[in-house]
Every structure is written in C-alpha cells, then in structure tokens.
Amino acid sequence: MSLRARIGAVAGLAVAGVVIAIAVSAYVADRSELRGQVDRSLREFSRVFAERRLGGPQGGGPRGSHRPPPRGDEPPRPVPGRFGGPSGYVQIVEPSGTVRRPPGESRALPVNGGTMRLARSGGTPFFRDVTVDSVHLRVLTAHDADGGAVQVARPLTEVDRSLDRLLVILVVVGVVGIALAALLGMLVARAALAPVARFTRHTEAITADPDPSHRLDVEGRDELARLARSFNTTLDALERSVEAQRQLVADASHELRTPIATLRANIQTLGQADRLSPEDSESLRADIIEELDSLTALVADVVELARGARAPGMADDVALDRIVESALHRARRRAPGVGFTERLEPTLVTASPEQVERAVSNLLDNAIKWSPPDGEVEVTLRDGVLSVRDQGPGFKDRDLPHVFDRFYRAADARRQPGSGLGLAIVRQAVEAHGGHAEAANDPRGGARLQVSFGRPTA
C-alpha cells in the first residue's frame, strides 16, 4: 500500500470513527429522551390514580392524556386502542396474586416475582419492558396504599417507530459521511504529498544521472525544504569525494608514468645485455630494483589515500610516545648521518595503531629527506601534540598552503625522491582521528610540522 493510500485510509478511519461516535451518541440521547418522557408520563398517571383512590385531589393527569378513573377500586376503562394507546393502561395486583383488569379488558400485563414481592411487602417502584400480544410496553409497578401493587403501562409503538426512523437516517448519514471522508482523505493525502512526489521525481532523476553536480531546488522553510537542504549537503560531500577520487586517479596515473617508462627502458636495455659491460649490467639491475621499490611504495601510498579519511575501525587506547620512540629507532637506522633529539611526554590517545605509526614514520622521513648530512631533527610530544623540526631550508611562502596536498611537490622537492603523498597520508590519518596538521617555518630555521590525533585520554 502506498503512503498516499495509507494517509487517506487513516484520515478516512478517523473521520469514520467520529461520524459513528456522533451517530451512536445522537441515537442514545434521543432514545433516552423519548423513553424518559414515557417514564414521566407513567409516574404522573400512577400518582393521579393513587390520589383518586384515596379521595385526594382531583385531576385529569397530564393534560387530557387520561380519562378520569371511575369510583371504587376498579382500574379505569382504557380508551379504544391496544392497551389504551398513548393514554395508558392500569391494572391492580392483589397480595394473593389476583389481577384486577379494567372492565371489558381481557388482556393482562404479566406478573413476575418482583411484582408479587412489591404487592405483598411494598418497596421501591420499578420500570421494565414487556411484550404482550406483539405490543412493546413500558410498565411501571408501584405499591398500592390499600395493599397490593399497581401496574401502569403504555405502548412504546410510537417511540420504537421514531427510533427506527432515526436509526435509518443515522445509518444513511453515517455511510455517506464515511464515504465522503474516505474521498476527502484521499484528496487531502494527494495534496499533502504532492511536494513529496516532486521531491521523489527530482531525486530519481538525479539517481538516473550519475553527475553529482545536480542539486534540488529549495523553497520555503518547512520539513521538505530542510530535507532538500540536507540532500544537497549530501550531494556536496559526494561531489567533493568523487572529485577527490578523480584527481587522485589522474595524479596517480601521471606519477606512475615516469617509473613505468623508466622500467620499460631499463628492461629493453637489459634485453641487450650481451652488449653491456658487467658493471653496466649490474648498475642497470640495481636501477630496475630501485624503480620497482619506488613503484611499490607509490602504489601503497595511493591505496592508503584511496581509503579516505574514515574513522579508524580498530581504534584502541594507544601510547603515542612509545609509537614515536619505535619510529625514531627505525629512523636512526635508516639515516645514521642525521641526529635526533627527543622530548616525549607519556601520552595516551584513542586511535588506530597502524595509521598513527604510518603518519609518524612519514613525518620523520620528510624531516630526514630535508635535513643536511650533519643536521639534527627535534621531536617533541607535549599535551598530545607531536612536533617534528628539521634544519633544512624550510618552506617557501607559496608552498605553505599546499604542504599536505596530494602529489604536491615544491620546485626544490622535485629533485628529491618521493611521490608527494607522504604528508597527504599524514593529514588523512590525523583527520580520521579528529586531530589537525599544521606546517610552518621555525624561527630558528628549518621546517616544523605539528600534528595531533585527537584529545589525549586522561
């Protein structure tokens, strides 16, 4: 079932419930009012009959609704009609169980146990409904002052007819109202969901066209407008991601051309090894191995960057100072001509050990690459911030904003080995952990790189 049908059904059911509740309430209220009028008439008839039997005030009951009862203990003769019609019917039940009916009346009201108890010992008057000869009657039974009980009855024929007519009217009105409510519910649902339908068509059109530059039109400040803005924000992030991946592929393909071309040329030359001296052949093999190592490192860096700045999947409490010590130990072996000084505070962070170790190693490798042969690299870890300073030439002002960009290499760096991905991997790692990376020139000379891997754990 579609959302429009569900909304229409819910609206129709809600209105139908209201219509049914109103119809039932109207029927119950009218029934109570009509039967209440009959009950009041029977009470008045019973009171007048009792007063006249006791020689009390004379009266004719409710405005000509009854004939004056005759003298003596006989019930009044009913007017023509079944059980006196609207004028009513009365009979007396003696304590012995004898029923005295009006003169000329062969039918009698049924007498039950409650009537006999009231006739013998008195009690509170009560009403009940009975059916005699297919006539629906309302009967009031009251205690007679001379002993016995008086039963006053009145046919409910007119009341039942009125209620039947009212029931038919309410059923017809209810059915029409429910049908109208269902129709209006569908129309309301259609009008309410029209903006959603337009929104759906636009999103389907965007899905069919893989170009992430499309955007939805935002109108107003309602919930749909907020949804459209949120969708556009998602498209912005998607476009940036797609553009970054395209740029990464383009840059990677550009960077891969050089080592692949070099390898191709060296392998072709190696095919003519009989024309080369042993020294040239050995040098050529060493060049091929070196290019393969560079190519392997480049592919690994590209794969690492292609993962994106995602939150670490295996984050744990990591001793950052110990990771830096381990990276320094490996750096001293790789660059024995470079000195290292370290000031490390014990620091605990929640991070992925592999990503942190890779980022720290790249920072040290960058410092080693730019340090002079007798230079010194200062490594400081304080308040969760790792700082690495070399004694190289530092950054030029035009290069500072692009230090952590992918494949960016300054003019002076193009003579150095590397692909320009090391510091990009560093920034991606720190951003994945909610940290930051900064590059600056140290006032004492050289370059200083500072990174953090999120707030340290206390």
Side-chain angles (χ1 to χ4, degrees), residues 49-63:
F49 177 76
E51 288 178 353
R52 292 192 175 183
R53 291 195 61 201
L54 295 174
Q58 299 295 317
R63 292 196 178 182

Side-chain angles (χ1 to χ4, degrees), residues 39-63:
D39 291 348
R40 289 191 293 271
S41 175
L42 292 176
R43 287 194 187 95
E44 182 65 18
F45 189 14
S46 175
R47 183 185 63 81
V48 173
F49 177 76
E51 288 178 353
R52 292 192 175 183
R53 291 195 61 201
L54 295 174
Q58 299 295 317
R63 292 196 178 182

Side-chain angles (χ1 to χ4, degrees), residues 98-179:
T98 302
V99 177
R100 287 190 290 142
R101 299 185 294 272
E105 182 64 53
S106 60
R107 294 166 298 186
L109 300 175
V111 178
N112 60 4
T115 302
M116 293 305 303
R117 284 192 298 272
L118 191 144
R120 291 169 181 167
S121 58
T124 304
F126 63 88
F127 289 94
R128 68 188 180 113
D129 288 3
V130 298
T131 301
V132 180
D133 293 340
S134 301
V135 179
H136 188 199
L137 301 171
R138 183 69 167 168
V139 180
L140 169 63
T141 303
H143 181 63
D144 190 4
D146 292 340
V150 177
Q151 288 185 299
V152 182
R154 178 177 173 181
L156 293 176
T157 306
E158 292 299 327
V159 173
D160 292 341
R161 289 176 181 172
S162 298
L163 292 177
D164 291 342
R165 288 193 297 269
L166 177 63
L167 181 61
V168 171
I169 293 174
L170 291 177
V171 169
V172 172
V173 172
V175 171
V176 174
I178 292 173

Side-chain angles (χ1 to χ4, degrees), residues 57-79:
Q58 299 295 317
R63 292 196 178 182
S65 60
H66 310 290
R67 286 174 35 196
R71 297 180 181 178
D73 294 335
E74 293 297 332
R77 183 182 299 274
V79 298

Side-chain angles (χ1 to χ4, degrees), residues 195-231:
V196 178
R198 291 195 299 269
F199 183 87
T200 303
R201 288 194 298 270
H202 292 165
T203 55
E204 290 175 348
I206 293 175
T207 304
D209 186 357
D211 186 2
S213 63
H214 293 295
R215 295 294 182 272
L216 295 175
D217 296 332
V218 180
E219 299 178 359
R221 298 183 178 180
D222 56 5
E223 288 77 5
L224 287 177
R226 291 177 56 192
L227 181 60
R229 283 192 288 269
S230 177
F231 194 81

Side-chain angles (χ1 to χ4, degrees), residues 275-349:
R275 301 181 181 180
L276 301 176
S277 65
E279 294 79 5
D280 292 338
S281 297
E282 185 63 26
S283 176
L284 189 60
R285 291 189 183 94
D287 288 342
I288 291 175
I289 293 175
E290 183 179 355
E291 291 295 334
L292 286 175
D293 291 340
S294 299
L295 184 61
T296 302
L298 177 59
V299 171
D301 290 342
V302 171
V303 171
E304 181 68 23
L305 284 174
R307 295 176 181 176
R310 296 175 298 177
M314 300 295 293
D316 198 359
D317 289 341
V318 176
L320 181 57
D321 55 306
R322 294 187 179 181
I323 290 180
V324 175
E325 287 180 354
S326 177
L328 283 170
H329 180 69
R330 293 192 300 271
R332 289 189 177 99
R333 288 187 300 177
R334 291 196 305 270
V338 178
F340 293 88
T341 60
E342 56 191 84
R343 292 188 297 275
L344 308 177
E345 290 182 352
T347 304
L348 196 66
V349 295

